[in-house]
Amino acid sequence: MPWNLTSDRPIFAQIIEIMQLNIVSGKYTPGDKLPSVRELATEAAVNPNTMQKALSELERSGLVYSKRTSGRFITEDLNRIEGVKATLAGEKIKSFLQSMQSLGFDKEETISLINQTLETMKGDTP
């Protein structure tokens, strides 16, 4: 899976977002053991120190925890995972609404366009 990291923002912050997305979307499930720092760094094509910094931040947030001799694992706290999922969704929604506003759409027009799009997608599978 390509990590698609860009130079417009700090790499470790992008890694955190990707890992959060992987956790809330179910790629990593509660209790899963994460690959080693070196394996993840190789997969993402980043310096292991950068990956370590991102994983340490995920530990501070409570999404990941360490077992001293066994590695890092995904939290089994489903409320924490759902909280992160809601936060990420809120950020995406705010970004979308700001984009629509910059295009000149007000709230009602945006809602109307969303409803129209949902209607055309009824038979489609996401």
Side-chain angles (χ1 to χ4, degrees):
M1 165 193 109
W3 285 60
N4 297 325
L5 301 170
T6 62
S7 61
D8 64 337
R9 295 183 7 227
I11 298 297
F12 86 95
Q14 294 176 65
I15 292 170
I16 291 168
E17 290 174 4
I18 290 168
M19 293 297 291
Q20 287 174 331
L21 183 60
N22 286 340
I23 293 167
V24 302
S25 70
K27 177 179 179 190
Y28 295 123
T29 58
D32 276 358
K33 183 179 190 301
L34 287 174
S36 72
V37 170
R38 231 171 249 301
E39 290 170 315
L40 286 170
T42 300
E43 182 183 322
V46 299
N47 184 300
N49 292 331
T50 304
M51 184 60 69
Q52 176 63 40
K53 183 177 179 181
L55 291 173
S56 292
E57 185 58 35
L58 288 168
E59 278 189 55
R60 273 191 287 284
S61 75
L63 271 182
V64 171
Y65 66 94
S66 289
K67 288 186 180 175
R68 205 167 257 281
T69 58
S70 302
R72 285 190 170 95
F73 296 83
I74 303 301
T75 184
E76 295 179 27
D77 183 348
L78 299 180
N79 289 329
R80 182 170 306 276
I81 293 172
E82 285 300 315
V84 170
K85 187 176 186 176
T87 299
L88 292 174
E91 291 169 2
K92 298 243 182 235
I93 291 168
K94 284 178 187 172
S95 175
F96 168 74
L97 292 173
Q98 289 168 347
S99 295
M100 294 303 288
Q101 187 176 30
S102 71
L103 289 170
F105 290 96
D106 64 24
K107 183 173 126 181
E108 290 76 23
E109 290 171 317
T110 300
I111 291 169
S112 177
L113 284 170
I114 290 170
N115 286 328
Q116 288 172 17
T117 303
L118 288 171
E119 280 299 315
T120 62
M121 293 177 62
K122 269 197 172 165
D124 299 346
T125 52

